[in-house]
């Protein structure tokens, strides 16, 4: 990995035995940082406490166990590298050191479980908006939870919730993976033609710390709005930034495969797919593949 490949001068080193200057995010690993003080976040809740770790299996797994030990809502775990990064549907998430943002945010929702279903899409649109606003990237979302740019996958979201039997959702761990400074040559063959990074798009390296700040500040506002307004507060934005609406697609899920045109998002986040006879189906989960000329 690319020590010093992407960061400006370190912001602040704390504690003993940290990473060499320029490595990682510029913080000594293993310390609890205050988001507002150490990272200069505006965020009120998300990032109230930020734990930067050098190498972990999965930030989602680390944060789940921190939640069980009483970590407060808004706690963030961010790692330089994940050795067992998790993707959707049991897939692995390529998370090499020094070049990505691999992070998880702990939320304590005050919403019933069914209203949380679109939270992964809301997170994707929050990340896409942050990249549009502060980096000028034409980031979009591919239903239900991918961040896309230039027709390739730039990032993904993985939600894991902790719920007592039949009871309310106690915690949601929101995992965000974003390819920041990977080069085309860093991508393994299975994703070489489908993935992209901010660096590849912008043709320059990007400070991961800047990206972290903008994502956490944006998500802090969006999470508060989601709790207030639900998916209704985001539907229009999701429609505007969708890569699948209006396209001929195939959705593959445990329930089977359906083909048709993606025509709408419902007020609670389902994708509406219309077949050749005009019959509409609402789809809640699955992998979307575009069909036809540029599928
Ligand atoms: C996807 O399959 O698109 C979701 C990828 C989510 C990856 C992130 S990286 C940080 C967090 N920790 C994990 O193990 N996975 C998520």
């Amino acid at each position: 990995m690319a020590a010093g490949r992407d960061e400006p001068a370190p912001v602040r080193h704390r504690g003993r035995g940290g990473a060499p200057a320029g490595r990682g995010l510029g913080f000594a690993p293993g310390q609890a940082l205050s988001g507002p003080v150490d990272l200069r976040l505006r965020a009120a809740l998300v990032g109230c406490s930020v734990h930067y770790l050098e190498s972990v299996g999965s930030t989602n797994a680390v944060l789940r166990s921190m939640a069980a030990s009483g970590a407060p809502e808004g706690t963030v775990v961010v790692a330089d590298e994940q050795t067992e990064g998790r993707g959707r549907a049991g897939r692995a998430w390529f998370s090499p050191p020094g070049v990505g943002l691999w992070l998880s945010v702990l939320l304590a929702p005050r919403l019933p479980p069914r209203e949380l279903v679109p939270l992964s899409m809301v997170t994707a649109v929050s990340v896409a908006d942050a990249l549009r606003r502060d980096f000028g990237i034409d980031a979009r979302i591919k239903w239900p939870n991918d961040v896309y740019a230039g027709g390739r996958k730039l990032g993904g979201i993985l939600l894991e919730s902790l719920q007592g039997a039949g009871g309310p959702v106690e915690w949601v761990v929101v995992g965000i993976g974003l390819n920041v400074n990977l080069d085309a040559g860093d991508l393994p063959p299975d994703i070489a033609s489908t993935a992209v990074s901010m660096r590849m798009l912008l043709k320059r390296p990007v400070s991961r710390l800047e990206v972290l700040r903008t994502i956490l500040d944006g998500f802090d506002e969006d999470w508060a709005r989601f709790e207030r307004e639900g998916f209704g507060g985001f539907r229009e934005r999701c429609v505007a930034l969708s890569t699948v609406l209006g396209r001929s697609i195939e959705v593959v899920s445990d329930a089977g495969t359906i083909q048709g045109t993606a025509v709408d998002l419902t007020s609670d986040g389902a994708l509406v797919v219309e077949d050749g006879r005009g019959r509409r189906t609402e789809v809640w989960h699955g992998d979307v593949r575009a069909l036809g000329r540029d599928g």
Side-chain angles (χ1 to χ4, degrees), residues 13-207:
H13 283 275
R14 293 160 58 121
R16 293 176 296 121
R23 169 94 198 256
L25 291 179
F27 296 104
Q31 302 291 312
L33 304 163
S34 153
V37 176
D38 296 306
L39 277 75
R40 301 196 303 273
L41 297 183
R42 288 193 317 269
L45 177 74
V46 171
C48 57
S49 173
V50 178
H51 299 255
Y52 168 62
L53 302 170
E54 214 163 4
S55 181
V56 297
S58 154
T59 55
N60 272 23
V62 171
L63 195 49
R64 284 177 74 123
S65 62
M66 286 171 69
S69 324
E73 181 177 22
T75 299
V76 169
V77 171
V78 55
D80 193 52
E81 168 189 38
Q82 296 186 118
T83 54
E84 290 168 39
R86 301 174 184 165
R88 280 181 60 228
R91 290 185 281 256
W93 180 259
F94 181 59
S95 322
V99 287
L101 268 181
W102 326 124
L103 73 122
S104 302
V105 181
L106 184 63
L107 300 175
R110 287 151 282 269
L111 296 167
R114 71 189 149 72
E115 288 182 32
L116 289 170
V117 173
L119 180 58
S120 54
M121 192 176 359
V122 166
T123 308
V125 89
S126 179
V127 171
D129 267 335
L131 302 183
R132 297 176 77 84
R133 192 173 53 235
D134 288 341
F135 292 91
I137 290 177
D138 182 18
R140 298 178 170 270
I141 57 166
K142 181 177 170 208
W143 186 92
N145 63 348
D146 289 343
V147 181
Y148 260 60
R152 291 176 175 227
K153 183 159 169 166
L154 182 57
I157 313 297
L158 180 69
L159 256 55
E160 296 182 34
S161 57
L162 287 82
Q163 183 173 12
V169 174
E170 286 177 50
W171 295 110
V172 173
V173 171
V174 178
I176 301 173
L178 188 67
N179 299 330
V180 180
N181 282 327
L182 287 93
D183 276 326
D186 294 331
L187 298 171
D190 57 326
I191 57 169
S193 62
T194 54
V196 75
S197 72
M198 293 179 72
R199 180 186 186 133
M200 289 161 66
L201 292 163
L202 297 173
K203 306 199 180 343
R204 64 174 171 87
V206 178
S207 157

Side-chain angles (χ1 to χ4, degrees), residues 212-229:
L212 179 66
R213 276 196 193 108
T214 192
I215 287 177
L216 294 181
D217 276 338
F219 190 55
D220 185 62
E221 281 182 25
D222 287 332
W223 170 239
R225 185 165 166 207
F226 185 70
E227 286 217 298
R228 261 191 338 262
E229 301 173 26

